[in-house]
Amino acid sequence: FNWRAEAQEMVKTQIQKRGITDTIVINILKQTPRHEFVPSDIAVHAYSDHPLPIGEGQTISQPYIVALMTELLQLEGQEKVLEVGTGSGYQAAVLAAAADRIFTIEIVKVLADRARETLDRLGYDNVVVRWGDGYQGWPSQAPFDRIIVTAAPEKIPPALVDQLKVGGRMVIPVGSFWQELKVIIKTSETEIEEKSIIPVRFVPMVYPESPLPEYNNN
C-alpha cells in the first residue's frame, strides 16, 4: 500500500482537476497520511473521492471538500485557528501544516480521544484537541484569526462570530437538509459579510443532550 502514490493521485484527479490552485494546500494534501485517520479496515479506501464512516455516526469529509474549505480560509502560516468538529482529526492535521496553532473541539468524546491520540502519534504538536460543545466555541482562547466548522448548524452560531477577529474568516456549512458552504468575513465588531460558495452535504451539528462539564467550554 503506497499511500504517497495514492495521495499524489488523489490530489491530481480530485483536487487540482476541480480547480484548487493553492500550492500550500496541494502540497499538504500530498504529504498528509489520510489513511491514518480512518478505521484500519477501510484504510485502503482513504484516498477515494467520497466521505468515509469513522464511527459514532460521523464521517471524514471527501478530500475535495477538505481542500476547498482549507483554501477558502486563505491561510498564510501565522494564524490561530479554531476548528469545530474534530471528527477523525484529518482536517486538523491539514490545518496544522498550514497555520500556527490549531484549537479543535469535538462533542463526541470517543472521537475526541481517538483524534488526540492519532495527532499525538503522528507528531502534530501545534494542535490542541478538546472534548466539548463547539457551538459555543472556545472563549478562553478567542479571538481567532480563522474558524472552520465541519458539521452543519441550521444557522451561523453567534458565539463563533463573536470569537472571530475583525478581518478574520470563517468557513462553515449552514442549513438543515439543504446546506450551503459559506465564507463569513468579519468586517467590524458588529458586521459580517457572507458569501455562498457551493451546495454541500455535511452531518448535522450535534448539540449536547445535557450541558457538558463546564471545563469543556471555557
Side-chain angles (χ1 to χ4, degrees):
F1 177 61
N2 181 348
W3 74 265
R4 288 183 185 278
E6 296 257 340
Q8 293 269 358
E9 184 65 15
M10 173 191 85
V11 168
K12 189 171 87 180
T13 59
Q14 301 173 39
I15 310 301
Q16 290 176 291
K17 267 200 175 150
R18 290 190 179 121
I20 300 294
T21 57
D22 186 321
T23 52
I24 293 170
V25 175
I26 286 165
N27 289 332
I28 289 169
L29 287 172
K30 286 178 182 173
Q31 293 160 24
T32 306
R34 187 173 158 92
H35 62 284
E36 296 278 8
F37 295 90
V38 302
S40 55
D41 58 330
I42 57 170
V44 65
H45 302 294
Y47 300 89
S48 304
D49 190 15
H50 49 75
L52 292 169
I54 56 169
E56 312 301 315
Q58 302 299 301
T59 59
I60 180 173
S61 293
Q62 174 190 14
Y64 169 68
I65 292 293
V66 173
L68 175 63
M69 292 179 78
T70 308
E71 182 175 72
L72 289 169
L73 286 172
Q74 297 186 2
L75 296 167
E76 293 171 1
Q78 74 286 0
E79 295 87 0
K80 180 180 185 180
V81 182
L82 172 66
E83 179 191 28
V84 175
T86 315
S88 68
Y90 176 71
Q91 175 73 75
V94 170
L95 294 170
D100 183 38
R101 287 179 296 159
I102 315 303
F103 294 85
T104 180
I105 306 179
E106 172 55 59
I107 198 167
V108 181
K109 191 170 189 303
V110 62
L111 294 182
D113 291 345
R114 191 185 301 151
R116 185 185 298 112
E117 186 276 323
T118 304
L119 289 159
D120 284 351
R121 176 168 55 81
L122 296 173
Y124 290 97
D125 57 6
N126 60 335
V127 181
V128 183
V129 181
R130 168 170 277 178
W131 168 52
D133 176 10
Y135 196 84
Q136 307 303 330
W138 198 324
S140 67
Q141 291 295 343
F144 298 95
D145 301 296
R146 302 285 189 272
I147 298 177
I148 180 171
V149 183
T150 60
E154 291 189 12
K155 57 185 196 311
I156 297 161
L160 298 185
V161 176
D162 289 347
Q163 291 171 36
L164 191 60
K165 272 185 189 169
V166 173
R169 300 168 74 88
M170 172 161 54
V171 177
I172 180 171
V174 182
S176 45
F177 187 78
W178 302 106
Q179 301 157 4
E180 284 283 325
L181 186 64
K182 293 180 180 282
V183 174
I184 309 298
I185 298 169
K186 190 166 181 176
T187 52
S188 76
E189 285 297 348
T190 55
E191 292 168 296
I192 60 169
E193 202 177 275
E194 200 176 307
K195 297 179 192 167
S196 286
I197 307 299
I198 54 166
V200 285
R201 285 299 302 276
F202 275 80
V203 293
M205 187 175 266
V206 177
Y207 304 98
E209 288 168 19
S210 57
L212 293 173
E214 190 59 41
Y215 66 85
N216 284 315
N217 291 322
N218 59 26

